[in-house]
């Protein structure tokens, strides 16, 4: 059982380049999330999805776009990368809303923008 | 503004002792409080959730307390082991939906053999 899988794990981009991070979950979860984690700051929510075909903005959505065309996949796109987007990105999923249901995180994607 | 404070300094503790980590918050009324473990280079792993009307919750060697008057949660690991060494994050949830959860920066625990 793979859980939540993120690809790629590491990537170096030049300023202005675009890229897509892929998150796949095999647990049939409805909810999926993209977070970024920076030194000295807690995890911050970028975008999330409450089901196939839906997306919504989180706390720090600027500079990112997302798509959830299939229930098991949640894509995070950077259209024009900036050095401020250097970070570790985590995807997560959980079966439904409401407290008490466990959220599962992926292993992370390390992105450096030079 | 809402603020979560976890001790940014690492906590070093001898194997076998009880480790106690603190999570304080201000300008917040969470309905739920969560604790996660994060190992270097890995994603966070959910450990425990406690509701605002619960004073204490236990899971194996873990114990969490939640004092809404003091606006504080304590996370205890009894009989600590070197394998417990990791960073522990607390997170506050106002409503039971992860889209509104606020995460702390974490406290690094080192258990010394």
């Amino acid at each position: 059982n793979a859980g939540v899988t993120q690809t790629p794990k590491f990537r170096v981009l030049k300023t202005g380049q675009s890229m897509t991070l892929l998150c796949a979950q095999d647990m049939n979860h409805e909810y999926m999330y993209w977070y970024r984690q920076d030194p000295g700051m807690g995890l911050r929510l970028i975008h999330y999805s409450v089901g196939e075909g839906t997306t919504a903005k989180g706390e720090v959505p600027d500079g990112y776009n997302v798509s959830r065309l299939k229930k098991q996949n949640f894509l995070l796109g950077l259209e024009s990368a900036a050095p401020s987007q250097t970070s570790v990105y985590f995807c997560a999923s959980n079966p439904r809303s409401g407290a008490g249901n466990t959220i599962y995180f992926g292993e992370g994607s390390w992105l450096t923008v030079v | 503004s809402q603020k979560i404070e976890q001790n940014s300094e690492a906590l070093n503790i001898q194997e076998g002792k009880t480790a106690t980590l603190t999570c304080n918050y201000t300008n917040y009324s969470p309905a739920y409080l969560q604790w996660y473990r994060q190992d270097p280079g890995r994603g966070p792993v959910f450990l425990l959730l406690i509701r605002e009307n619960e004073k204490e919750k236990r899971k194996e060697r873990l114990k969490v307390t939640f004092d809404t008057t003091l606006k504080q949660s304590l996370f205890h690991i009894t009989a600590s082991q070197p394998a417990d060494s990791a960073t522990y994050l607390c997170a506050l949830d106002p409503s039971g939906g992860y889209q509104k959860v606020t995460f702390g920066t974490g406290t690094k625990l080192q258990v010394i053999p």
Side-chain angles (χ1 to χ4, degrees):
Chain A
N1 192 352
V4 178
T5 304
Q6 294 181 226
T7 52
K9 192 166 179 71
F10 300 97
R11 183 76 188 267
V12 178
L13 279 180
K14 293 183 178 178
T15 299
Q17 284 185 321
S18 64
M19 75 158 295
T20 300
L21 296 176
L22 171 63
C23 177
Q25 52 95 3
D26 61 2
M27 297 172 283
N28 201 36
H29 286 172
E30 290 293 332
Y31 287 62
M32 296 187 74
Y33 312 83
W34 275 107
Y35 292 90
R36 60 178 289 173
Q37 188 175 39
D38 301 290
M41 305 189 76
L43 287 158
R44 291 182 292 167
L45 183 63
I46 304 171
H47 287 279
Y48 65 98
S49 168
V50 301
E52 181 178 315
T54 74
T55 63
K57 294 180 180 180
E59 180 187 354
V60 288
D62 294 342
Y64 305 95
N65 56 74
V66 286
S67 64
R68 183 103 181 264
L69 298 179
K70 291 183 178 181
K71 186 176 183 179
Q72 63 266 34
N73 295 338
F74 195 29
L75 278 63
L76 178 71
L78 285 72
E79 289 184 346
S80 180
S84 61
Q85 294 178 304
T86 294
S87 187
V88 185
Y89 292 85
F90 289 100
C91 177
S93 71
N94 68 313
R96 62 192 181 283
S97 186
N101 65 92
T102 302
I103 189 170
Y104 297 86
F105 283 86
E107 295 290 273
S109 295
W110 274 254
L111 176 65
T112 302
V113 182
V114 298
Chain B
S1 61
Q2 297 169 350
K3 194 173 180 182
I4 303 175
E5 291 183 351
Q6 293 187 260
N7 195 341
S8 58
E9 292 182 10
L11 176 65
N12 295 320
I13 192 162
Q14 208 68 36
E15 181 177 4
K17 301 291 186 183
T18 296
T20 299
L21 284 69
T22 304
C23 176
N24 295 304
Y25 59 93
T26 55
N27 298 323
Y28 212 119
S29 296
Y32 311 92
L33 191 145
Q34 305 161 5
W35 283 90
Y36 295 78
R37 170 184 175 137
Q38 186 172 22
D39 291 287
R42 309 292 293 273
V45 175
F46 176 88
L47 295 175
L48 277 171
L49 175 147
I50 186 168
R51 293 171 168 79
E52 61 178 336
N53 59 354
E54 296 177 315
K55 298 286 188 193
E56 179 179 301
K57 198 150 193 182
R58 294 175 185 261
K59 180 182 177 182
E60 298 173 351
R61 293 185 296 110
L62 308 181
K63 185 179 86 170
V64 171
T65 62
F66 192 10
D67 189 325
T68 55
T69 302
L70 290 179
K71 294 188 182 295
Q72 180 182 80
S73 174
L74 299 178
F75 178 79
H76 306 272
I77 305 175
T78 58
S80 59
Q81 305 166 1
D84 295 327
S85 299
T87 295
Y88 291 87
L89 314 177
C90 75
L92 275 59
D93 179 2
S95 61
Y98 281 98
Q99 51 266 42
K100 296 200 185 324
V101 169
T102 302
F103 287 85
T105 54
T107 297
K108 186 174 181 179
L109 172 68
Q110 188 76 32
V111 181
I112 303 164

